[in-house]
Amino acid sequence: MSRQFSVAVAGATGAVGQTMIRVLEERDFPVGEIRFLASERSEGKELTFKGRKVVVRKLDHDSFEGVDIALFSAGGQRSLDYAPSAARSGAVVVDNSSAWRMDPDVPLVVPEVNPHAVAGYRKKGIIANPNCSTIQMVVALKPLYDYARIKRIVVSTYQAVSGTGQKAIKELEEEALAWADRIRGGEKAGTDEAYGYAGEYEYRAYPHQIAFNCLPHIDVFLDNGYTKEEMKMVNETRKIMEDPDIQVSATAVRVPVFFSHSEAVNVAFEKDVTPEKARELLGRAPGVRVVDDPSANVYPLALDAEGQDHTLVGRIRKDISQPNGLDFWVVADNIRKGAATNAVQIAELLIREYL
Ligand code: A2P
């Protein structure tokens, strides 16, 4: 019988943790023992794995004895606190937070782009899973980069609330339902007041209403005027593509969509790439699906990407403002390819090539 692995999921009750569990099941990962870890609040709660009930335990430093692979998605602080303990216990950590991504001794891996980097896990016993917006962008850029090298990327994101976690999904639902109640109630219908809460509602996930709104603010603002999320796209893209010279400017926007991030990407290449050539290259790239027939209203949509693992690319066109430029639209499920699926793919690479 082929080897089975003991797997722990830290953050098992969260939006990404739950999907990690489903993806392990779907892909039939060779799991011998499974351990579900979360905060004290969830201790004793029962989750299922392949039809069996598994009791959630509290994440602690001694949670990883005998574990081969620890998938972490319990927030950056938990990764900083517990990933080293997991590694000391002998587990290889695949961490979904940003805590370790830019550590030079931690590889940052997208299996379609830099699978060889996994070997770097030996240094600290940790492999970082990139930021969701970065993953889908580099999956689409890699085949184009290999053909024509990239000088500069300008990207604007339209990011789903699920990226903020369970509480933000609930918040968008509650705001939308509250809005519907007000409209149905009739008295506010057609007035400006119907479309905002004017301070009546206590926002928890975001500093403003997210329903029927767009927030150009993801994570904290930095001294250079960009947000931390935007700078993740700059720094992580360079690390994954192994090219410190790629210039990236990003604007990250939270939109009232439950699942899947969309991105408008503008790229300047070193040599010309026609849209036809780009479609051909992307058409045979791993993990990519070209969805590009605008005359028939066919282009990548968040609702179509939801629940699948492909990165959808469409609206591919020549940038009329510069030589050697392309514009396109990239959509992927942020919880799946942007987080859980990419982490499980890294674990698959690890057991196939290294463990
Ligand atoms: P819990 O459900 O017990 O709070 P999301 O990003 O969807 O909000 O999920 C966050 C995940 O991280 C959840 O599984 C959550 O567990 C877990 N988590 C949050 N804080 C801690 C903590 N202090 N210790 C362990 N797990 C935590």
Side-chain angles (χ1 to χ4, degrees):
M1 206 173 97
S2 60
R3 182 171 168 197
Q4 306 267 296
F5 295 86
S6 171
V7 178
V9 180
T13 50
V16 171
Q18 284 286 289
T19 307
M20 283 172 164
I21 295 165
R22 297 289 84 83
V23 173
L24 287 169
E25 289 176 333
E26 285 168 23
R27 297 173 76 99
D28 212 10
F29 195 87
V31 174
E33 185 212 359
I34 188 106
R35 247 174 249 184
F36 293 156
L37 308 166
S39 80
E40 220 162 359
R41 294 180 289 276
S42 304
E43 210 174 355
K45 201 171 161 181
E46 284 184 346
L47 299 175
T48 59
F49 184 72
K50 293 202 165 172
R52 282 182 292 127
K53 285 196 164 61
V54 180
V55 178
V56 177
R57 304 189 211 170
K58 180 178 171 299
L59 171 64
D60 219 327
H61 294 286
D62 60 6
S63 300
F64 301 95
E65 290 305 322
V67 168
D68 299 303
I69 295 170
L71 304 175
F72 267 70
S73 192
Q77 194 54 50
R78 261 67 60 196
S79 297
L80 284 172
D81 293 345
Y82 298 100
S85 314
R88 264 194 303 277
S89 300
V92 180
V93 174
V94 181
D95 179 36
N96 189 52
S97 83
S98 63
W100 300 96
R101 287 181 194 149
M102 296 314 294
D103 185 319
D105 291 336
V106 172
L108 184 63
V109 179
V110 178
E112 292 87 345
V113 180
N114 61 339
H116 54 273
V118 163
Y121 83 89
R122 293 190 184 97
K123 290 188 187 147
K124 279 207 165 128
I126 302 172
I127 302 170
N129 205 38
N131 168 266
C132 42
S133 305
T134 309
I135 292 178
Q136 66 183 70
M137 185 170 80
V138 296
V139 165
L141 289 177
K142 173 67 174 163
L144 306 175
Y145 181 94
D146 288 346
Y147 178 77
R149 286 188 78 90
I150 290 170
K151 289 203 292 198
R152 178 167 182 254
I153 301 160
V154 179
V155 55
S156 298
T157 71
Y158 306 68
Q159 298 185 217
V161 296
S162 49
T164 314
Q166 223 68 284
K167 70 174 188 297
I169 297 175
K170 195 103 196 83
E171 186 144 313
L172 174 55
E173 262 169 21
E174 282 175 9
E175 288 180 2
L177 288 170
W179 174 83
D181 280 349
R182 291 161 64 108
I183 291 293
R184 285 214 192 88
E187 64 203 91
K188 303 266 170 69
T191 69
D192 285 350
E193 249 190 290
Y195 305 109
Y197 296 99
E200 288 170 30
Y201 187 87
E202 186 201 341
Y203 307 117
R204 285 158 301 179
Y206 304 109
H208 304 280
Q209 176 181 327
I210 182 62
F212 317 110
N213 211 359
C214 297
L215 311 180
H217 176 184
I218 300 184
D219 209 328
V220 296
F221 287 100
L222 303 173
D223 288 345
N224 66 1
Y226 285 87
T227 60
K228 203 166 164 192
E229 180 83 356
E230 290 160 353
M231 289 311 294
K232 285 175 191 170
M233 294 190 78
V234 176
N235 297 321
E236 294 182 23
T237 297
R238 291 176 176 159
K239 181 167 176 177
I240 299 162
M241 305 288 279
E242 297 169 357
D243 185 344
D245 298 326
I246 299 180
Q247 300 302 307
V248 184
S249 182
T251 303
V253 181
R254 189 73 66 189
V255 297
V257 165
F258 285 109
F259 296 98
S260 300
H261 292 350
S262 304
E263 299 177 344
V265 186
N266 174 268
V267 188
F269 296 94
E270 277 186 7
K271 68 173 199 186
D272 190 40
V273 188
T274 63
E276 297 69 37
K277 186 68 189 175
R279 273 184 214 103
E280 179 202 319
L281 294 166
L282 288 161
R284 49 184 154 83
V288 175
R289 185 169 294 157
V290 176
V291 180
D292 199 16
D293 187 4
S295 63
N297 301 332
V298 172
Y299 27 72
L301 293 174
L303 287 177
D304 293 339
E306 183 179 329
Q308 60 160 302
D309 292 323
H310 281 91
T311 294
L312 312 182
V313 186
R315 296 289 323 277
I316 302 168
R317 61 203 189 277
K318 193 144 194 60
D319 172 4
I320 54 171
S321 74
Q322 60 173 335
N324 305 344
L326 278 184
D327 279 289
F328 47 88
W329 181 247
V330 180
V331 184
D333 187 321
N334 56 304
I335 298 294
R336 290 186 65 98
K337 182 57 190 168
T341 302
N342 199 72
V344 174
Q345 284 177 309
I346 291 172
E348 287 173 349
L349 249 175
L350 191 68
I351 63 169
R352 195 167 59 238
E353 311 276 343
Y354 302 95
L355 294 191

